[in-house]
Amino acid sequence: MRIRPAAPAELPALQDVERAAGAPFRDLGMPEIAEDDPPALDVLERYHRCGRCWVAADEEDGRPLAYLIAEPVDGALHVEQVSVHPDAARRGMGRALLAHAAHRAREEGLTALTLTTFAEVPWNAPYYARLGFRTLGEDELTPGLRRIRAEESAHGLDHWPRVSMRLELPRGETAFGGPAR
């Protein structure tokens, strides 16, 4: 796997990754999530233009198997979406994308990664907690995270328990242990 910026021609493939990554939610009784539309091409293009749309690409043919989009929010790099195609799951692609985002955030002087996610989905909040993210209390939400949570609520995502999470990015270390590169 190779982490790299997404190419403009690959943006439709990221939508395919998103659709496939959503399918397992059906088995959890969350069909609305499984059927939710992926980010629109103009949204993906905006992240791409800002240099915040990365893919985990297949070593052999270079096609995207996973992707991450993010944007700065209140001094942190907020992970808007990270999705791994189920055929490529459990190979460390999500973790590698998050580590790449953490490295880039540190280069930009940002102090943390943040994200919002489903509290009870095994590959959501419990996974991020294993990577060192901590759940934020309501009183710890920044104005930007409050805005994001309000948008998610308006989209119907609060039908299932959701949390906001944060991973501090200490200087001189990578996000997931070891020295910074």
Side-chain angles (χ1 to χ4, degrees), residues 16-39:
D16 294 340
V17 168
E18 182 69 22
R19 285 183 195 98
F25 284 91
R26 193 177 309 322
D27 295 336
L28 296 179
M30 300 170 76
E32 297 89 341
I33 301 304
E35 296 161 8
D36 196 33
D37 289 332

Side-chain angles (χ1 to χ4, degrees), residues 117-120 157-163:
T117 193
F118 293 110
E120 298 169 359
L157 294 180
D158 283 356
H159 182 73
W160 305 274
R162 287 192 59 84
V163 294

Side-chain angles (χ1 to χ4, degrees), residues 133-148:
F133 284 82
R134 70 177 181 84
T135 300
L136 298 173
E138 194 66 29
D139 61 327
E140 297 176 282
L141 297 183
T142 64
L145 286 175
R146 287 184 191 285
R147 176 189 50 78
I148 290 166

Side-chain angles (χ1 to χ4, degrees), residues 105-122:
R106 215 180 272 104
E107 286 180 339
E108 294 180 30
L110 303 172
T111 60
L113 293 181
T114 60
L115 55 83
T116 58
T117 193
F118 293 110
E120 298 169 359
V121 173

Side-chain angles (χ1 to χ4, degrees), residues 36-128:
D36 196 33
D37 289 332
L41 289 176
D42 64 321
V43 171
L44 293 172
E45 175 59 30
R46 180 176 55 84
Y47 284 101
H48 173 264
R49 276 193 317 273
C50 293
R52 293 191 180 90
C53 180
W54 301 291
V55 299
D58 184 274
E59 284 289 339
E60 293 179 21
D61 63 13
R63 71 186 162 88
L65 300 172
Y67 79 97
L68 183 149
I69 54 177
E71 64 183 339
V73 173
D74 300 332
L77 186 63
H78 182 74
V79 177
E80 177 60 31
Q81 186 67 44
V82 59
S83 293
V84 178
H85 194 287
D87 293 345
R90 306 193 63 79
R91 293 192 218 164
M93 291 183 189
R95 181 184 182 114
L97 282 164
L98 287 164
H100 181 81
H103 177 74
R104 291 293 304 270
R106 215 180 272 104
E107 286 180 339
E108 294 180 30
L110 303 172
T111 60
L113 293 181
T114 60
L115 55 83
T116 58
T117 193
F118 293 110
E120 298 169 359
V121 173
W123 59 88
N124 280 193
Y127 169 74
Y128 297 120

